[in-house]
Amino acid sequence: MAILLLVFGLSSYYALSYSLYDNIDNFLLTRMEDFKGVLEKAVNVEDIENIKALPNEMIFIYSDNGSLLRFYGYLIKIPDIQGKVQKANSGETFFFNLTTDFNWNTRFYVSTAKLKENSNVVIIIGRFTNEIENVLARLKMILISTGVLVMILAGIGGFFYADSSLRPVEKIIDTAKNIEENNLNERIKVKSQDELGRLASTLNQMISRLEKAFDQQKQFTADVSHDLRTPLSVIQAESSLSLKKDRSVEEYKKSLESILEETSYMSEIIDKLLFLARSDNKTQFYNFTKTNLKSLLEEVIKKVSPLYHNKGLTLQVEKLEDLNIRADKDKLKEAIINILDNSLKYTDKGKVTISCIKIGNFAKISIKDTGRGIPQEDLHSIFDRFYRVDKARTSSEKSTGLGLAIVKEIVNAHDGRIEVKSEVGKGTVFSLFLPVEK
């Protein structure tokens, strides 16, 4: 800004200076032409009339040999007058500046003129330039004063602007310093719509994601601890009771079976957690091969049918189209069995229907039951880890709460998606969409 002001001031000063001195030169040229017209009418110097100096003007008439014939206005001493007269007699016209003995600056113009009798005289016309210098001095003072004032105001304004601009940054820094693991609910309070406002909004969104991740981690840790603690308590209780006194063989066998059951349950939880951990780290291995869905579903149905029969339910197979996909057979079977296992657990009467048809570029596997159904408020959470809709009943049914989370991971790994529709008291439909091999 200072450079711009300096350039503007210098440009204005020199433009005005050039214009004023150019005007005075033009004025001297005009006056010279007027005098020449007057002198051409005079027979000799004595006949010269109608010449009158204006205020601040000086007119000198010299003979060829440099003798001063007449002067009008102020009489001042012009140095080297003989040289100037000779230069003019050689046909040259020129300007020159002069500072008088009383320190006034003047501007002169020199030229020759002819009298009526055809004799030459040298005319020197001059004007004092103090008015121009006074104007330029005042302009210089105005420009310097204005520049200093503008710089001071700019400095004050810049200080307040910088202070107001940096205040939100300080607020962001202070809030960021105060945010720790235990107070992730704090947010940066910057409401402006500029870049800082958008930065604060982005940081708030990031803190929200961190808070959600920490909450999920805490919940996950609590759920794992709870689910492992229950079977460990059972194992500890069975062992203590067995060792308190002598038992019959049947009683020992019953205790060992109970311990084996709880151990298997714990092993199942650990295996599923390991699967999810590998999926999170993208290290879970999948052996994708060309897979016929109809054959795969028939294998699964054959495996789980006895379980449905034992519970008095019907596993009904509807249309199974002959479709091929790229899949890891074992993991896809695991996903389908997990859904069928859920349907078996939560269907008390009626039937479970399974079908496979092609829709667009996807194979749609539908598993529909006539079970208890899932409340609408729980539908968006059923794929969360350790989420159980009916915690009391699922606890008694040895549900890990990890099955549907694993199903979703497997379907995602196959570039597919899973949808669920449910109505309490009427049943649930799980739909798996998997890309068909072209």
Side-chain angles (χ1 to χ4, degrees):
M1 187 173 183
I3 294 174
L4 288 176
L5 284 173
L6 179 63
V7 171
F8 172 76
L10 289 175
S11 301
S12 302
Y13 180 84
Y14 284 108
L16 181 62
S17 175
Y18 175 82
S19 176
L20 292 174
Y21 280 109
D22 188 56
N23 284 339
I24 199 170
D25 287 351
N26 290 330
F27 177 79
L28 292 175
L29 287 171
T30 303
R31 292 285 287 167
M32 180 64 78
E33 292 302 319
D34 293 342
F35 294 150
K36 284 182 178 179
V38 172
L39 292 174
E40 284 175 356
K41 296 175 183 176
V43 176
N44 49 47
V45 175
E46 286 71 19
D47 290 339
I48 296 174
E49 295 178 353
N50 299 327
I51 291 181
K52 189 175 181 180
L54 298 174
N56 293 329
E57 187 178 58
M58 295 151 286
I59 304 169
F60 300 89
I61 301 176
Y62 288 91
S63 63
D64 289 346
N65 57 13
S67 300
L68 179 62
L69 301 176
R70 283 197 177 189
F71 77 91
Y72 304 90
Y74 300 92
L75 178 60
I76 62 173
K77 183 180 179 181
I78 301 175
D80 191 23
I81 187 62
Q82 292 297 331
K84 290 179 173 62
V85 169
Q86 288 179 7
K87 191 174 179 181
N89 285 329
S90 66
E92 189 174 349
T93 59
F94 57 93
F95 292 91
F96 69 91
N97 296 322
L98 178 64
T99 301
T100 65
D101 295 336
F102 42 94
N103 287 328
W104 283 29
N105 294 322
T106 54
R107 177 78 168 168
F108 287 97
Y109 177 59
V110 183
S111 182
T112 57
K114 286 184 178 297
L115 299 178
K116 193 173 182 180
E117 60 182 9
N118 208 28
S119 59
N120 286 336
V121 293
V122 175
I123 305 175
I124 300 176
I125 305 173
R127 286 188 66 84
F128 292 110
T129 58
N130 291 63
E131 289 183 354
I132 295 176
E133 290 163 2
N134 289 337
V135 170
L136 292 175
R138 285 197 294 272
L139 175 64
K140 187 189 291 183
M141 184 60 66
I142 291 171
L143 289 174
I144 292 173
S145 304
T146 305
V148 172
L149 181 62
V150 169
M151 291 301 297
I152 292 173
L153 292 176
I156 295 172
F159 173 78
F160 284 107
Y161 178 75
D163 183 62
S164 63
S165 299
L166 293 176
R167 201 174 298 136
V169 177
E170 292 176 357
K171 195 178 292 184
I172 291 173
I173 294 172
D174 291 341
T175 306
K177 284 181 179 176
N178 291 332
I179 292 177
E180 295 177 354
E181 181 181 346
N182 295 327
N183 62 344
L184 283 170
N185 57 340
E186 279 198 29
R187 294 294 181 269
I188 301 168
K189 296 175 183 175
V190 177
K191 298 180 180 177
S192 60
Q193 300 298 320
D194 54 10
E195 287 77 6
L196 284 175
R198 290 197 291 275
L199 174 63
S201 177
T202 303
L203 289 174
N204 282 336
Q205 291 173 10
M206 183 189 71
I207 295 168
S208 296
R209 290 195 295 272
L210 285 174
E211 183 182 18
K212 184 178 179 182
F214 272 100
D215 289 344
Q216 288 177 339
Q217 186 182 32
K218 289 177 184 175
Q219 186 63 43
F220 181 79
T221 305
D223 290 339
V224 170
S225 301
H226 176 269
D227 278 61
L228 292 179
R229 182 179 170 185
T230 303
L232 282 172
S233 299
V234 173
I235 292 171
Q236 187 178 23
E238 288 289 345
S239 303
S240 299
L241 286 173
S242 299
L243 294 173
K244 267 187 178 178
K245 61 180 183 179
D246 292 336
R247 304 279 180 177
S248 64
V249 174
E250 288 301 321
E251 287 175 329
Y252 281 126
K253 185 179 178 181
K254 188 176 178 181
S255 294
L256 288 173
E257 287 175 348
S258 177
I259 291 172
L260 179 61
E261 182 183 351
E262 298 303 328
T263 305
S264 299
Y265 177 62
M266 289 174 59
S267 178
E268 181 186 356
I269 292 176
I270 291 170
D271 287 343
K272 289 181 176 179
L273 288 175
L274 185 60
F275 176 90
L276 291 171
R278 286 173 176 166
S279 297
D280 291 341
N281 296 329
K282 308 296 181 187
T283 56
Q284 180 60 49
F285 176 73
Y286 284 85
N287 181 24
F288 288 101
T289 58
K290 183 177 181 179
T291 303
N292 184 273
L293 265 183
K294 183 178 180 181
S295 301
L296 184 143
L297 288 171
E298 286 174 347
E299 286 181 36
V300 171
I301 291 166
K302 184 178 179 181
K303 183 176 180 179
V304 301
S305 288
L307 300 175
Y308 282 80
H309 178 74
N310 291 340
K311 195 174 178 180
L313 297 174
T314 301
L315 181 57
Q316 183 176 328
V317 180
E318 291 189 341
K319 188 175 183 180
L320 294 182
E321 291 187 9
D322 195 12
L323 302 173
N324 291 321
I325 64 170
R326 295 284 298 175
D328 183 314
K329 291 181 182 178
D330 293 335
K331 291 189 174 58
L332 188 56
K333 278 183 189 176
E334 182 182 351
I336 296 170
I337 289 173
N338 259 319
I339 297 175
L340 287 170
D341 185 54
N342 269 354
S343 297
L344 180 66
K345 284 179 182 173
Y346 305 118
T347 302
D348 300 320
K349 60 181 180 179
K351 62 182 180 182
V352 175
T353 306
I354 184 167
S355 65
C356 178
I357 59 174
K358 183 181 179 184
I359 296 181
N361 295 324
F362 288 87
K364 178 184 177 184
I365 302 171
S366 296
I367 298 173
K368 178 181 178 182
D369 65 49
T370 56
R372 305 165 197 170
I374 304 170
Q376 291 297 313
E377 61 270 21
D378 291 317
L379 277 178
H380 68 283
S381 303
I382 60 172
F383 296 105
D384 293 348
R385 296 167 191 186
F386 290 109
Y387 189 84
R388 299 178 178 92
V389 176
D390 187 346
K391 294 178 174 54
R393 298 186 70 168
T394 52
S395 177
S396 63
E397 291 165 351
K398 291 291 182 186
S399 172
T400 62
L402 295 170
L404 289 178
I406 290 175
V407 170
K408 188 177 181 182
E409 290 291 341
I410 293 174
V411 173
N412 288 341
H414 285 74
D415 295 327
R417 70 179 192 277
I418 183 169
E419 295 178 357
V420 58
K421 294 179 182 177
S422 187
E423 189 174 349
V424 175
K426 292 187 177 180
T428 304
V429 182
F430 283 93
S431 300
L432 279 62
F433 293 84
L434 301 168
V436 176
E437 189 176 62
K438 297 179 181 177

